[in-house]
Each structure stands twice: as C-alpha cells, then as structure tokens.
Amino acid sequence: MDILADLNPAQKEAVEAIEGPVLILAGPGSGKTRVITHRVAYLIRKVGVNPRRIMAVTFTNKAAREMEARLNNLVSGSVKDLTLGTFHAICARILRIDGKAIGIDSRFTIYDGDDQISLLKRSLVDLDLDPKQYAPRAIQSAISSAKSQMIGPDEFLKHGRSYFEEVVQRAYERYQKMLDESSALDFDDLLMKTVLLFRRNPELLERYQNRYLHIQVDEFQDTNLVQYELIKQLAGKYRNICVVGDPDQSIYSWRSADLRNILNFEKDYPDAKVVLLEQSYRSTRLILDAASHVISANRNRKPKDLWTENEEGMPCAVIETYTEQEEAQYVVNEVDNLMGRGEVKPGDCAVMYRTNAQSRVLEEAFIRYGMPYKLVAGTRFYERREVKDIIAYLRLIQNSCDSVSLLRIINVPQRGIGQRSLDELTQWARSQGVPEYRALQLLAESRDSAVDLPFSSRTVKVLIGFAVMVEGFIEKSRELKLVELFDAVVESSGYRHYLAGLVDGEDRWENVLELRGVAQEYRDMPPMEGLSAFLEGVALVSDIDDLEERVETVTLITLHQAKGLEFPVVFIIGMEEGLLPHRRSMESGDELEEERRLCYVGITRAKQRVYLLHTYRRNLFGGSEATLPSRFLQDIPKQFIAGKGLWDDEKEDDYTPVTSLFSRSAVKPLSSLKLEVGDRVQHQIFGEGVVISLSSNRDDQEITVAFDGAGVRHLLLSLAPLEKVDKK
DNA sequence: CGAAAGGCTCTTTTT
DNA sequence: GAGCCTTTCG
C-alpha cells in the first residue's frame, strides 16, 4: 500500500516534510488526523525510523487511542514502540522514572481538580484566611495559571501585587508545601516539574533528546507555555518538530492555552515550513460558508480560505422555541423525524451546548420519549463520590503520605471521627512534623505510654482502628492482585455495607462495580505494579476518552468536548446572549472571540445538517428570563439560514411556534389520545403496559405507565409514541 | 462529640 | 435546583 496514494497535494507536502520544524495549519475537516498518522507511518515505513524514536503528543487519551488504531492499519506491530499520549501522561511517565533527580518519589499521587481544591481549602484555613472571602476556585486558577508559565510561589509576586495576589502568593506557597508533604503532584506540576527536571539536569535532557528523533504535537493551538517549553527542550537536538493546529479552534485559553505558541513557533524556528490545509472534506458547502462567516467576525485572526468540493447541502436551520423544554422536545422530535424518513441513525446525531447544566432538560426529554442517548460527562464518572472514595483508599495504600485521600475516607463510612477530632489530628500531626498517616501510627505505638494526647480515649481507639485497617491493606497490596485488593478494600472497609444502607446505594454500587471493571483490565500485572498503573490511568483519563468511536445513540456533549469529533447532524442549543457567548465572557473582547471560536467549532462538527436553537425564555433557577438570540446568529447571512427571518423587524409578541423546513412539524400537537387510569397502551419502544396515573401541567399531560417488560416510566403524552390497546 | 436537618450561594468550559 | 455550611438534636 502506498502511504501517499490518497492524499491531496497539501497533505502530501505535510507528510513528506520530515526534516526540520514544520507548522501545519489545518482547517476543520481538512484531514488533520490523517496527515499525522500518515506522517508517522511514512517515517516508519518509508524512511525507516525506529518507532521508539518517535513521539506523538495528543490532546486526549481518546485521540491517542484513535491514532494507535489507525496506525495499526498502516504499520501494524511497531505501534507499541511509539511514545504516544497526552502531555500529562508522557510527563507522568518521565517523572516516575527520572523524577528522583529533583526529589520526586516515584510513587507520587496525582491530584485532580477536586483534590486541589480541598488541599487549597486546608491551606487557607492554615493561614487563617477565610475560604469564603477568597474563593478557592479563583485562587486555584491563579496558581494553575502561574504554574503554566513556570512561575513558582517565590517568583509569583514579581508579576503584580494587588491584595488578592498577595493572598494567592501565600496560599500558593502553603499549598505547594502541602503537596510536597503529601508526595503529590497536581496536573500542572506534571508539566512544570518535567521542564524543571530537564532544566536542572542537562545530561538527562540530552538522553531524551537523543532518543526522540521526531516529535509531533496535535492541537497545538491549545498548548500552554510550559508545554511549549517542554517540546522545545525535547526537540533541542534534532529539531524535527512538527506541530499541527488551527488558531480558529483555540478554545482553552482559560486553561492557559496560549496562541502565542503558534506565533512563537515561527520566531523560534525561522526555518519552519508552513503547510496550510484548506480543503475541507467534512461539511457541505453551505455549512462551511456559514461557519466561515461566523469566524470572520473575529478581528484578532489570520484570514484563511477554506473550500470544499462537497455538495451545497442544506442551509442551517435557526429555530426559536418558547422554553428550554420545548427546545429539548424539538431536538428529540426532529431526530425522530429524520429517522422516520430513514435519513439518519441515532448515532449520527449530536446535541451540543455551552454548559453542562443544559444537558439536564435534554436528558429528561430523551427519557420521556424513550429515545436512547449517550451523555458525555454529566457528573463525570471519576468525580463521583463513591468512585473517588474507593480510589482514595487505593491511593492511600500506595502512598500513605497522601493526606487528601486520608482525610477523605477516614470517616467514610462513618467511624465516629468527626470534624473536631480531625482538626486535632491534623494539628497534632503538624506539631510532630509528620504526615497524618504517620501520626496515626505514632498514636498506635504510644497507646500504652502516658503521653499527653488531645484525644478522648474513644477517639484514640477508632483512630488506631483505622490505622490498623489501612496497614492491613498495605500488607495485602504486596501479594494481592489489584482486583483482589479492590474487593478486600470495598469489603473490609465496610464500604459496600455502607452503600447498601443509602437510598441511592444501588446506583452508587453500580459505579463501584464499573470501577472494578476498570481495575480488571490490569489483571495481568503483578500486585504493586497493577495498583500503580491503575491509579495513573484513572488520574489522567477524561470523559471524552470513554466515548466509543461508534455510538449507536444520540450524543449529548459540551461544545468543548466536541472538538475533534464529527457528526452528520448537529444541534447546537442555547444560542442566546449570556449562554453563547457566556455572560462571564462578555466583558473582554478576547474572551468574546473565544466564544465565537467555540461556536465555530460546534458548527464545523457537522457534515450534513446544522440546527441552531434558541429559546424565547429560559429558566435560570428561580424565575424565567426573557432572552436575546446570540449575536453569533447575526454573523450568518440570510442565504445560509433556513427557518424564519430572524432579523426581520419582528416584534416579540409576533412569536409563533416555529416550523422548520425539515420537519413535518416542530412540536407535535397534543396527543388526541384520551386515556384513563387502567387503560392498556402500546409504546413503540417499551411495548405494552398499563396506565397508572395521569397528571396535567401547564401545557402537557404527564402519564405514568407500568410496562410489562420495561418497568414504570413517566412519559409526556404529547411526545410519547403511544397507542391505546383494547382491553381484553 | 457526632450525625441529621434547614438556609445560604452560585452555576463555564477540563487535562 | 444542588452543594455547602451552619444550626439543632441525639
């Protein structure tokens, strides 16, 4: 097979430019992933580069896996030798192996956002600062932003000294110290410490430089300064560095992604070859044109000429509904219509939104209609309480200095250790100059001696009991396989029993079992190794990683998560001022431009059809508020829009329910079915059942049906595909 | 001294 | 409408 065979000239150029620095600017749908994979395949197959000497950095684990799969088709076998993964995963690996040189224990724990916040709160309390007055989230983001620029606690104040920044500086210092004492690194540390490691150990860096002959970075527009610094270090010797990105799809500046990286690239590597990929293979012409008009309204960008040979296709549908419930109903209904005409399968459709909170109403509509869906990250799996609890037990076993985990589970399930005792424990540990866990051990050792302890004898007893239990786990961890250890922990800690007693215990137990399933994937590894690998794995996954390549159901996803994906049919809901653009972004021009890029990313995910929805009123917890359609809708000229003439001078009270060009009807008329309790009904999906209650709300009837095979369901009469069945 | 029950604030996006 | 924190009860 010829690797270059089915590439267009620009793609070919990008693949063949293997020597020296290369910057590939790739528009949406221009075959970016193709280029990257073919490049790697080309290096291995045509140029004969040893795969061990190639590094490819991706933005998510999912992207890495996808690349792996595609490469397997091109160069089966050698894929496992590549260094392939996210910045964070690659850095974690480097630090586990070589971090000792800057004092990092190879068993370090990785703290996620939640852990960071709880540690930060503790450091604020330590400093006698009120966490209410100084929002931990704000401080955390300031610290993260500092770390993304390689600014340590001591250099922090050089960059300004408002009172808030002084608070941040103190918190940062304390927080970093506590991380250190816990043998833990946060996400930003993974990157920053790696760069630091290389700065302080040039000979070590050289080893890595010598190894990596070729380095590629995907989604370059979303890298931050530390990441840039890192690749600069690694590519320092051979300079075969290829970065791929699209400034118009930069949507992570709030995570310190810095567009300057793209600009700096050409400055740092003046000999860089720049390749533009401008032909789009994804969207129809009308969609691409509409998207281009949206993004062109950004002032701070380089214009580019995207084009496509695809058919013209259909204009974007702009739809106004009255409420968000109607908005959700419209989506469900339209999917059903399209399916009814055999045009799409559910898996072809995605619904995208700005904030996770918007998914709730959608979910309700999908459930009521009985249409299956896949929600990417509602409450994210690894952030669920029970999942984090179990992980905390396992982390503590691997790294007993991990105080965040210890404090998380010391009283879960309840062991009679309250806040009071915990405060005393932390203080006592501090006074002894040891981590909390060590303090517990000391407590156990000194139980008979008449030391003056700040605990009641009852408390001492439970604390020691806890320490003994964990000690037992640690011993077991040396001989038990991960899953066996997992089971032992869940059982002996009383966690399973504890869940059984909760109202929603069953759901939570399901999640524990799902986590156990993940643990099972490490079954072939020896005891301790399996534990480390598992913990590393769960620390660095994201939700998008779990989205299977081919889903059979409608996908519900945030605009951010949708980056890099494509769907034949895309619905973007909540196209309103305050939501998209988000109100928190409306004050700064730069942030507003980022919101516009987000909108652009959304539209360009679509191959065939785009629906842009906005509501007339939207519920913001208490009351409902009148909304204004998003300014981004105005950027799309009329000829690209189907539906009503949004910008004709219609008055608000001219509002009538909208009918899209594509639908038979936007919202089905209320069902003419007359049902009573006790009637038998037939549902398209759930089969037969009996009506057990009926209730009316403002404009619809809700019906509860006990299905013979599918349990009790609440449905909306106007939506549910129901028919009455004659009683026998 | 710890666990359960009501009032408060906010809601952006995530490796 | 939820989490979080403070108050009240056991």
Side-chain angles (χ1 to χ4, degrees):
Chain A
M1 180 188 48
D2 184 3
I3 293 171
L4 299 173
D6 37 2
L7 298 175
N8 71 31
Q11 290 174 337
K12 213 160 141 185
E13 191 187 350
V15 168
E16 287 179 312
I18 54 162
E19 227 157 89
V22 182
L23 169 63
I24 302 173
L25 296 171
S30 60
K32 185 187 64 168
T33 315
R34 231 180 127 69
V35 165
I36 302 180
T37 48
H38 282 246
R39 227 182 113 88
V40 173
Y42 184 81
L43 284 172
I44 298 173
R45 287 250 317 254
K46 279 273 169 49
V47 189
V49 177
N50 181 344
R52 271 186 48 80
R53 305 197 60 191
I54 301 174
M55 174 186 282
V57 189
T58 57
F59 195 66
T60 60
N61 297 299
K62 178 175 183 278
R65 275 205 308 268
E66 221 172 280
M67 190 160 158
E68 203 176 330
R70 290 213 203 179
L71 275 171
N72 253 323
N73 295 330
L74 295 169
V75 287
S76 57
S78 33
V79 180
K80 59 177 188 335
D81 292 330
L82 291 168
T83 300
L84 176 61
T86 63
F87 273 108
H88 291 87
I90 290 174
C91 286
R93 213 179 309 157
I94 294 175
L95 291 176
R96 294 247 185 245
I97 298 169
D98 291 310
K100 303 181 263 325
I102 51 168
I104 295 173
D105 186 311
S106 68
R107 294 154 70 89
F108 67 84
T109 300
I110 300 170
Y111 279 175
D112 69 12
D114 270 7
D115 304 322
Q116 288 174 46
I117 294 289
S118 69
L119 191 63
L120 199 51
K121 276 188 191 157
R122 275 174 53 214
S123 34
L124 289 177
V125 172
D126 256 19
L127 294 167
D128 269 325
L129 293 165
D130 182 7
K132 268 198 179 146
Q133 205 175 343
Y134 306 101
R137 293 205 59 91
I139 298 179
Q140 191 259 329
S141 107
I143 292 176
S144 169
S145 145
K147 287 185 175 182
S148 303
Q149 299 168 66
M150 297 290 301
I151 299 171
D154 30 325
E155 301 131 308
F156 187 81
L157 276 190
K158 291 186 191 139
H159 298 261
R161 54 189 80 69
S162 67
Y163 183 56
F164 178 71
E165 277 162 331
E166 227 152 277
V167 169
V168 171
Q169 197 273 334
R170 291 170 61 197
Y172 186 4
E173 214 161 37
R174 177 91 236 160
Y175 167 80
Q176 202 58 36
K177 187 146 175 283
M178 290 171 92
L179 272 177
D180 212 44
E181 287 166 357
S182 303
S183 276
L185 302 184
D186 65 21
F187 282 141
D188 302 304
D189 282 341
L190 292 175
L191 308 172
M192 183 172 152
K193 299 268 186 191
T194 307
V195 169
L196 215 62
L197 172 72
F198 287 148
R199 276 193 192 166
R200 301 219 179 127
N201 300 78
E203 66 300 332
L204 180 71
L205 172 60
E206 209 183 323
R207 243 178 55 213
Y208 278 91
Q209 286 177 332
N210 283 332
R211 166 160 177 190
Y212 291 111
L213 187 55
H214 291 276
I215 299 174
Q216 313 211 48
V217 183
D218 193 9
E219 305 286 11
F220 190 61
Q221 76 281 356
D222 289 321
T223 53
N224 61 32
L225 291 177
V226 189
Q227 291 166 331
Y228 184 65
E229 176 71 24
L230 182 69
I231 58 157
K232 209 164 126 187
Q233 287 178 325
L234 288 172
K237 178 162 182 186
Y238 294 111
R239 296 178 85 250
N240 296 323
I241 167 79
C242 169
V243 300
V244 188
D246 178 4
D248 286 333
Q249 294 185 63
S250 158
I251 53 175
Y252 283 98
S253 69
W254 51 274
R255 221 173 70 190
S256 310
D258 201 323
L259 268 180
R260 279 179 296 174
N261 285 351
I262 287 197
L263 307 172
N264 284 344
F265 192 82
E266 286 186 78
K267 226 182 274 164
D268 284 342
Y269 305 95
D271 53 330
K273 184 179 186 76
V274 181
V275 181
L276 279 80
L277 302 181
E278 293 182 311
Q279 181 177 4
S280 171
Y281 295 93
R282 181 184 297 147
S283 312
T284 61
R285 222 181 67 219
L286 284 177
I287 292 175
L288 194 65
D289 284 352
S292 299
H293 276 95
V294 170
I295 198 67
S296 307
N298 272 355
R299 317 212 56 193
N300 193 3
R301 78 182 272 270
K302 270 196 208 159
K304 65 170 169 272
D305 292 310
L306 284 177
W307 58 279
T308 181
E309 285 172 356
N310 290 348
E311 55 173 5
E312 183 173 54
M314 257 157 303
C316 301
V318 174
I319 287 131
E320 178 179 62
T321 63
Y322 192 69
T323 61
E324 63 241 62
Q325 279 76 18
E326 209 177 279
E327 181 181 56
Q329 280 180 25
Y330 179 92
V331 171
V332 174
N333 226 300
E334 184 65 14
V335 171
D336 193 45
N337 283 338
L338 294 172
M339 272 165 59
R341 276 183 274 146
E343 282 189 36
V344 300
K345 296 186 296 272
D348 294 338
C349 305
V351 192
M352 302 178 186
Y353 35 82
R354 177 66 235 263
T355 69
N356 276 306
Q358 289 169 265
S359 67
R360 181 179 211 96
V361 178
L362 275 173
E363 272 194 281
E364 281 167 12
F366 275 87
I367 289 169
R368 291 206 161 131
Y369 200 85
M371 184 181 281
Y373 61 92
K374 163 94 186 169
L375 179 74
V376 184
T379 39
R380 296 183 265 284
F381 181 70
Y382 288 104
E383 280 169 28
R384 292 207 160 108
R385 216 175 65 204
E386 58 278 14
V387 173
K388 287 219 76 172
D389 286 345
I390 301 296
I391 291 176
Y393 273 100
L394 294 170
R395 277 177 172 183
L396 189 62
I397 291 168
Q398 193 194 33
N399 168 17
S400 61
C401 303
D402 176 356
S403 57
V404 168
S405 295
L406 182 131
L407 292 174
R408 178 180 186 99
I409 43 121
I410 192 165
N411 198 34
V412 182
Q414 289 99 343
R415 303 187 170 90
I417 305 169
Q419 197 50 54
R420 184 72 172 261
S421 309
L422 282 185
D423 289 346
E424 268 153 12
L425 174 67
T426 333
Q427 267 197 333
W428 188 66
R430 167 92 23 90
S431 74
Q432 305 291 307
V434 295
E436 279 81 359
Y437 185 72
R438 184 72 197 124
L440 291 180
Q441 289 179 319
L442 288 177
L443 207 57
E445 287 160 18
S446 68
R447 69 188 314 178
D448 302 319
S449 52
V451 192
D452 207 14
L453 295 173
F455 310 107
S456 70
S457 64
R458 194 188 68 87
T459 308
V460 170
K461 218 172 123 194
V462 279
L463 286 178
I464 291 177
F466 177 77
V468 168
M469 178 186 74
V470 175
E471 200 54 44
F473 290 152
I474 293 176
E475 264 161 44
K476 279 186 181 151
S477 76
R478 293 191 240 275
E479 53 216 46
L480 291 186
K481 293 249 182 165
L482 177 59
V483 177
E484 298 163 336
L485 179 68
F486 188 101
D487 291 340
V489 166
V490 170
E491 204 56 46
S492 316
S493 66
Y495 204 87
R496 191 180 62 81
H497 185 74
Y498 154 76
L499 283 186
L502 297 182
V503 239
D504 52 355
E506 231 167 284
D507 293 342
R508 293 183 186 277
W509 179 242
E510 287 289 310
N511 291 327
V512 173
L513 287 180
E514 198 174 328
L515 184 65
R516 188 179 185 276
V518 177
Q520 208 129 34
E521 289 169 25
Y522 298 82
R523 70 176 86 85
D524 296 330
M525 301 180 97
M528 314 262 275
E529 231 172 275
L531 178 60
S532 313
F534 170 77
L535 289 176
E536 182 117 339
V538 299
L540 298 174
V541 286
S542 64
D543 301 287
I544 189 77
D545 293 336
D546 287 335
L547 186 69
E548 310 93 74
E549 178 81 346
R550 292 214 63 79
V551 281
E552 300 298 324
T553 62
V554 180
T555 302
L556 276 41
I557 193 168
T558 65
L559 286 162
H560 281 90
Q561 292 171 324
K563 191 180 69 163
L565 305 178
E566 61 177 30
F567 300 90
V569 180
V570 168
F571 297 86
I572 303 178
I573 65 167
M575 291 287 302
E576 292 144 37
E577 290 290 299
L579 212 44
L580 185 66
H582 196 273
R583 51 171 53 77
R584 302 266 295 239
S585 309
M586 299 212 304
E587 273 151 46
S588 115
D590 285 350
E591 288 178 51
L592 206 60
E593 297 216 338
E594 180 146 317
E595 296 288 305
R596 187 177 272 107
R597 291 195 290 270
L598 198 51
C599 182
Y600 174 73
V601 167
I603 297 173
T604 54
R605 297 309 90 198
K607 293 167 143 170
Q608 304 288 335
R609 291 173 185 275
V610 173
Y611 296 82
L612 304 169
L613 292 96
H614 63 105
T615 64
Y616 176 67
R617 303 191 75 83
R618 185 168 292 273
N619 287 328
L620 281 172
F621 44 141
S624 87
E625 267 175 32
T627 60
L628 287 171
S630 167
R631 65 189 74 188
F632 303 146
L633 290 171
Q634 291 182 74
D635 297 330
I636 308 175
K638 267 188 198 160
Q639 65 264 36
F640 303 114
I641 292 180
K644 67 180 200 158
L646 191 67
W647 307 110
D648 297 341
D649 23 357
E650 283 173 299
K651 291 200 201 76
E652 287 184 352
D653 34 280
D654 285 347
Y655 174 79
T656 43
V658 186
T659 304
S660 110
L661 288 189
F662 313 130
S663 317
R664 290 193 293 265
S665 67
V667 177
K668 281 184 191 165
L670 288 183
S671 166
S672 53
L673 271 182
K674 290 272 183 292
L675 291 174
E676 288 171 22
V677 172
D679 283 346
R680 281 197 74 77
V681 290
Q682 164 81 38
H683 185 277
Q684 259 181 25
I685 290 157
F686 300 135
E688 274 195 38
V690 59
V691 178
I692 54 179
S693 80
L694 286 161
S695 67
S696 297
N697 59 25
R698 192 166 50 86
D699 46 17
D700 206 340
Q701 269 200 305
E702 194 172 310
I703 171 174
T704 308
V705 183
F707 288 102
D708 302 342
V712 176
R713 304 266 174 177
H714 304 284
L715 307 160
L716 277 187
L717 198 52
S718 64
L719 272 178
L722 279 175
E723 275 171 41
K724 198 167 165 179
V725 182
D726 290 329
K727 281 188 207 161
K728 284 157 207 159

